[in-house]
Amino acid sequence: MFELSDERLQVAEKALGSQPHNPAIRDELRSAFNQFQGLYSLWQQAPTPGKLLDECEKVLNRLKKGANILSVLNAREYQDAAGQKDKKAQKLNAGISGELLSYLILNGVDPDAPQKSKIIDVVSRIIELPRKKTGRPEEYARDGFLLDLAKIFKRETGKDATSSSNIGRASGDFMDLCRAMMIPSNSFMDADGLAIEKAWNRVKKRI
């Protein structure tokens, strides 16, 4: 991963039609970037994408059924062992994995004073991210980040997020925004953005 430098943020502001050093735009871009980094880390730490998604769906269902939020965030994961009392209640209020808990904390959830709506929003976002049935886990984080950037781009410019390939180079204001926000190389504006363009063309077909 890399950090958002002033140079990158200025390129992003220009792509969005904004004046340099726009605090509101910069805060939103940083927030989206941090979400991307957190989700990328989550997918890397999770045992498998399928297991993480299964956990997210179960946690969401348990919260909707009235699970105790403090228990869910602070208890041990449920183990289906013989001799336990009130298995149904224990399973409903069982804890979550360390990976998911870390991601919730990164997204502003306080385990000591959690808000149910915030947890549901964060977990729902993971479940709803566009993704292929197969593929590398890191692609899920990238696809979600592309959606965030496209929404910001549409709002700020009034234009849909598009790109065009010209002599083997993905071009356009949206691609300039993506280059600044997504390509690790120090020469991000000269780097090949065709992989990002290809990913965006795939993602936008499913939204």
Side-chain angles (χ1 to χ4, degrees), residues 11 40 43 46 59 62 77-78 86 101 109 111 114 128 135 137 143 153 155 157 164 171 175 178 199-200 204-205:
V11 170
Y40 182 89
W43 284 117
V59 168
R62 288 196 282 131
E77 292 183 69
Y78 174 76
D86 199 357
L101 178 59
V109 174
E128 293 167 3
D143 291 353
F153 184 83
R155 188 196 67 225
T157 68
S164 59
S171 59
M175 289 308 303
C178 291
W200 173 242
K204 69 182 182 181
K205 290 179 181 179

Side-chain angles (χ1 to χ4, degrees), residues 31-167:
S31 177
F33 182 75
N34 290 338
Q35 293 282 341
F36 167 53
Q37 287 188 313
L39 192 57
Y40 182 89
S41 177
L42 174 66
W43 284 117
Q44 293 300 306
Q45 295 175 39
T48 66
K51 184 174 180 179
L52 176 63
L53 290 170
D54 184 57
E55 179 185 11
C56 287
E57 290 172 351
K58 289 180 178 178
V59 168
L60 189 61
N61 288 333
R62 288 196 282 131
L63 290 175
K64 290 180 177 179
K65 290 179 180 179
N68 184 294
I69 303 174
L70 288 171
S71 294
V72 170
L73 295 184
N74 295 284
R76 294 183 178 181
E77 292 183 69
Y78 174 76
Q79 301 294 328
D80 190 5
Q84 291 183 331
K85 297 181 180 179
D86 199 357
K87 288 185 179 180
K88 185 175 182 180
Q90 289 189 28
K91 190 171 184 178
L92 181 67
N93 297 310
I96 59 177
S97 67
E99 294 85 7
L100 183 54
L101 178 59
S102 296
Y103 186 69
L104 288 171
I105 293 173
L106 178 67
N107 281 271
V109 174
D110 182 354
D112 295 322
Q115 292 183 326
K116 183 178 179 179
S117 59
K118 178 68 174 178
I119 299 172
I120 289 177
D121 286 344
V122 175
V123 174
S124 296
R125 175 179 170 79
I126 298 173
I127 295 172
E128 293 167 3
L129 277 175
R131 56 186 177 274
K132 297 186 293 185
K133 292 182 179 179
T134 59
R136 296 186 297 274
E138 57 266 27
E139 292 180 352
Y140 304 161
R142 179 200 60 197
D143 291 353
F145 193 29
L146 280 169
L147 285 176
D148 286 340
L149 293 177
K151 290 175 183 176
I152 296 171
F153 184 83
K154 174 70 173 180
R155 188 196 67 225
E156 293 298 318
T157 68
K159 299 183 293 186
D160 291 330
T162 59
S163 64
S164 59
S165 299
N166 182 19
I167 315 179

